[in-house]
Amino acid sequence: GAGVSQSPSNKVTEKGKDVELRCDPISGHTALYWYRQSLGQGLEFLIYFQGNSAPDKSGLPSDRFSAERTGGSVSTLTIQRTQQEDSAVYLCASSLGGTLRNEQYFGPGTRLTVT
Amino acid sequence: AQSVAQPEDQVNVAEGNPLTVKCTYSVSGNPYLFWYVQYPNRGLQFLLKYITGDNLVKGSYGFEAEFNKSQTSFHLKKPSALVSDSALYFCAVRDTGRAAGNKLTFGGGTRVLVKP
């Protein structure tokens, strides 16, 4: 079956521009997560969606970052007025439920480079 | 607050030798513990998890991990390493304590290099 897909795989943008990153979770997975992986920084939690509940946005680093999940499926992470420190690999993951007992399935990531 | 430590940035091992990747954690309640592996230019793949029950957990590709509550550890092991096991390994924890929130915290990762 299809896994988690993300697009684009690579994105180069100029400082100050807005970018949108897309995630298609595994069908039937109610939980969706966004992480950021920077060189030497490990994985940083950004945001978590579970069903129709309000998302947990506690990991978003600034108000330039936002995310939405339409129809309980596809999610878009938007970064406004990008800065060079936003350069990283953005990973999306989904899982069957929201209790975190279930393992997460990760997409291949979007590599964002801000010049 | 929950936290995870992977004390070794890199582990080098000869093919055929035992492999151990260390992980310790800190939580307020009981932990859910996970190991993930990341191969170059790919997303993370789930290896195994401890939720409850038997302290020895077996997972994919011949890996296993032992939950040790007294030492707050969840070390990943493989009896005989393969060159193809060379990758970046992440330990992760979810704290089930009341104030912990619904978040998975990852360690900084350990790079494993298996030499032929």
Side-chain angles (χ1 to χ4, degrees):
Chain A
V4 177
S5 61
Q6 293 184 246
S7 60
S9 55
N10 282 285
K11 176 72 176 179
V12 181
T13 190
E14 293 179 353
K15 178 182 171 181
K17 301 278 189 183
D18 297 352
V19 294
E20 284 190 352
L21 312 180
R22 177 187 168 104
C23 172
D24 277 277
I26 292 173
S27 177
H29 281 192
T30 59
L32 185 147
Y33 313 81
W34 283 98
Y35 297 90
R36 180 167 68 176
Q37 187 175 22
S38 306
L39 192 61
Q41 296 291 325
L43 267 78
E44 176 188 11
F45 165 78
L46 297 177
I47 189 169
Y48 157 63
F49 296 89
Q50 168 54 27
N52 296 321
S53 303
D56 178 351
K57 304 179 182 181
S58 60
L60 294 178
S62 77
D63 59 7
R64 295 186 296 105
F65 287 73
S66 63
E68 62 178 21
R69 188 179 185 192
T70 53
S73 181
V74 172
S75 176
T76 303
L77 177 69
T78 301
I79 309 174
Q80 296 178 311
R81 305 180 303 282
T82 52
Q83 304 294 314
Q84 287 185 333
E85 61 262 28
D86 299 334
S87 296
V89 176
Y90 289 82
L91 293 170
C92 175
S94 69
S95 68
L96 267 175
T99 65
L100 287 174
R101 295 172 67 98
N102 300 303
E103 57 271 25
Q104 296 178 25
Y105 292 82
F106 284 79
T110 294
R111 182 176 298 277
L112 175 65
T113 304
V114 182
T115 61
Chain B
Q2 62 195 45
S3 65
V4 181
Q6 293 180 242
E8 301 155 317
D9 289 337
Q10 181 159 323
V11 170
N12 297 318
V13 63
E15 187 173 34
N17 282 2
L19 169 63
T20 298
V21 186
K22 295 180 180 176
C23 171
T24 58
Y25 65 89
S26 175
V27 294
S28 60
N30 292 314
Y32 295 160
L33 292 154
F34 300 81
W35 276 102
Y36 287 85
V37 60
Q38 187 176 33
Y39 297 101
N41 299 315
R42 297 180 65 178
L44 277 72
Q45 296 178 28
F46 168 75
L47 276 179
L48 50 79
K49 66 181 177 183
Y50 171 82
I51 303 299
T52 187
D54 195 348
N55 289 344
L56 183 63
V57 178
K58 294 188 183 295
S60 307
Y61 312 121
F63 284 94
E64 60 186 30
E66 185 164 13
F67 171 61
N68 188 318
K69 188 170 184 177
S70 63
Q71 297 187 3
T72 61
S73 68
F74 190 57
H75 302 329
L76 181 70
K77 298 183 180 183
K78 186 171 183 179
S80 179
L82 300 172
V83 171
S84 57
D85 293 329
S86 299
L88 188 57
Y89 291 80
F90 289 96
C91 181
V93 68
R94 190 259 165 136
D95 188 352
T96 61
R98 278 189 180 180
N102 206 10
K103 187 175 82 169
L104 197 60
T105 297
F106 284 82
T110 298
R111 188 165 301 280
V112 170
L113 181 60
V114 182
K115 297 182 178 179

